[in-house]
Amino acid sequence: MKFLSLLFVFLINTSHALEYRAFCSGNRGKVAISFYSSKDRLYLRYNNLMGADDFPLYEGVVTKLTLPVIKIAEEELSSLDQEVLVSWPIEKCDFNDKDPLIMQCGGEAQFHLPLNTNLTSYTLITSRVKEESLTNVFDMFKIRWGIDSPDFHHSLALPFDPKLCQASLKR
């Protein structure tokens, strides 16, 4: 009887577990992004064989006035190399059941890689962007990731062709 009670409690607790997986690759060089849930956390894994030299530093119009901001980002984000692993509490994340690529997380993230970094992250947002002209339609999947240093906030954008991404969500 005790075993059946424990089994029943286990099944109740795991039957509502959220399972999330998403993956994008191939847009720029050797970049791959994956998301996955494990227990009570959502993980973002960034892989880039080109390393820190190819890490995105800035999104927006580049002018003489933005060059110092880009230089600060280059210095402060230099520890983000070939692999970065960050996680958020899963209860701080929201997911779109109709389009599992669309999700967002807030709250403080934990950096697992690189180790001993002074960087923090509080925002992760994904979206689909559609641009229409007279002759073409451009679709893009965009990951927006906020990374903070002790002195500055960096808002990064990682765009992908949606055809190079896939996602699944099970509640």
Side-chain angles (χ1 to χ4, degrees):
M1 183 68 172
K2 187 176 181 181
F3 173 75
L4 288 176
S5 297
L6 289 173
L7 180 62
F8 181 70
V9 169
F10 176 76
L11 289 174
I12 288 174
N13 288 337
T14 59
S15 66
H16 298 293
L18 180 127
E19 185 179 314
Y20 184 74
R21 301 273 183 269
F23 182 79
C24 294
S25 68
N27 254 30
R28 290 181 24 258
K30 311 266 190 242
V31 176
I33 297 275
S34 60
F35 301 94
Y36 58 93
S37 59
S38 179
K39 297 185 182 179
D40 60 347
R41 306 223 32 109
L42 179 84
Y43 292 85
L44 173 143
R45 183 179 297 276
Y46 170 90
N47 291 93
N48 185 344
L49 295 177
M50 302 296 288
D53 290 340
D54 193 41
F55 192 82
L57 300 174
Y58 181 81
E59 180 189 32
V61 176
V62 177
T63 68
K64 287 182 184 181
L65 297 175
T66 57
L67 290 176
V69 172
I70 296 169
K71 186 67 176 164
I72 291 169
E74 179 184 15
E75 293 168 9
E76 293 187 343
L77 302 178
S78 65
S79 66
L80 304 180
D81 202 2
Q82 290 183 345
E83 184 174 21
V84 180
L85 181 62
V86 183
S87 70
W88 283 263
I90 198 87
E91 71 268 5
K92 299 287 185 178
C93 300
D94 295 309
F95 302 88
N96 184 323
D97 290 313
K98 293 179 183 173
D99 185 352
L101 278 175
I102 307 302
M103 50 81 65
Q104 66 183 26
C105 293
E108 186 171 2
Q110 178 181 356
F111 271 84
H112 303 278
L113 290 174
L115 298 173
N116 303 319
T117 184
N118 67 345
L119 300 173
T120 57
S121 182
Y122 293 92
T123 2
L124 174 67
I125 300 169
T126 67
S127 62
R128 288 188 183 260
V129 179
K130 184 176 184 178
E131 295 179 2
E132 294 185 46
S133 70
L134 291 175
T135 56
N136 290 306
V137 175
F138 300 97
D139 289 317
M140 181 181 5
F141 171 68
K142 188 179 279 191
I143 301 165
R144 292 187 181 278
W145 182 14
I147 300 176
D148 296 299
S149 70
D151 300 319
F152 204 76
H153 174 77
H154 306 279
S155 183
L156 309 178
L158 305 160
F160 287 90
D161 181 334
K163 295 175 195 148
L164 301 174
C165 300
Q166 57 188 7
S168 68
L169 172 65
K170 296 179 187 170
R171 293 191 190 258

